[in-house]
Amino acid sequence: MTTQKSSECPKMIANALFDIQSKIGALGYDSDNGFANYRYVSIDKYYEKIRPLMNDAGIMIVPDELESSLSEDRKLYRAVYQFTIIHKDGAVWNFPIRRSITLPFTGAQS
């Protein structure tokens, strides 16, 4: 029996991620930010392109909010998320990807 190190990616996940990467191609910009004058790929376009590839490859990304808070002056919202990659056959990459965001708090939709 082989044991996997916590940061080592299981081969079935590595192969699935490579398969997705090899098929994704260019997403193409579909939205404009008129205020800052740049084009970007919307989240809807991203998921429209990536979801079928992830499904075909058997990959799920599970988000988990680790913490969130408001600054003392209630002007900034901060959250830390962790994302775990899981294969449909049960393999888990035990190397969670963590991301922090801080943004102006302007209400519930922040």
Side-chain angles (χ1 to χ4, degrees):
M1 175 179 192
T2 1
T3 58
Q4 175 187 322
K5 295 177 186 168
S6 66
S7 63
E8 185 179 324
C9 183
K11 285 186 180 184
M12 74 172 47
I13 291 179
N15 289 333
L17 292 175
F18 181 81
D19 186 50
I20 293 166
Q21 178 180 291
S22 68
K23 293 176 181 173
I24 189 71
L27 294 176
Y29 301 122
D30 69 334
S31 299
D32 295 297
N33 181 321
F35 179 75
N37 196 26
Y38 65 87
R39 301 202 70 214
Y40 63 97
V41 177
S42 70
I43 193 65
D44 294 330
K45 170 105 179 191
Y46 171 81
Y47 279 118
E48 176 185 311
K49 184 92 173 192
I50 196 79
R51 185 176 285 120
L53 298 175
M54 289 177 64
N55 288 342
D56 289 346
I59 289 292
M60 297 178 288
I61 299 174
V62 179
D64 183 22
E65 183 179 321
L66 298 179
E67 60 184 76
S68 64
S69 61
L70 282 176
S71 61
E72 281 189 34
D73 61 6
R74 301 184 57 83
K75 291 184 179 181
L76 294 176
Y77 172 77
R78 181 174 186 276
V80 178
Y81 293 92
Q82 173 176 289
F83 301 88
T84 303
I85 300 174
I86 302 172
H87 191 271
K88 68 178 181 178
D89 291 335
V92 177
W93 187 5
N94 291 319
F95 183 71
I97 302 158
R98 290 189 178 99
R99 295 292 177 262
S100 300
I101 59 167
T102 302
L103 56 123
F105 182 70
T106 57
Q109 295 213 352
S110 294

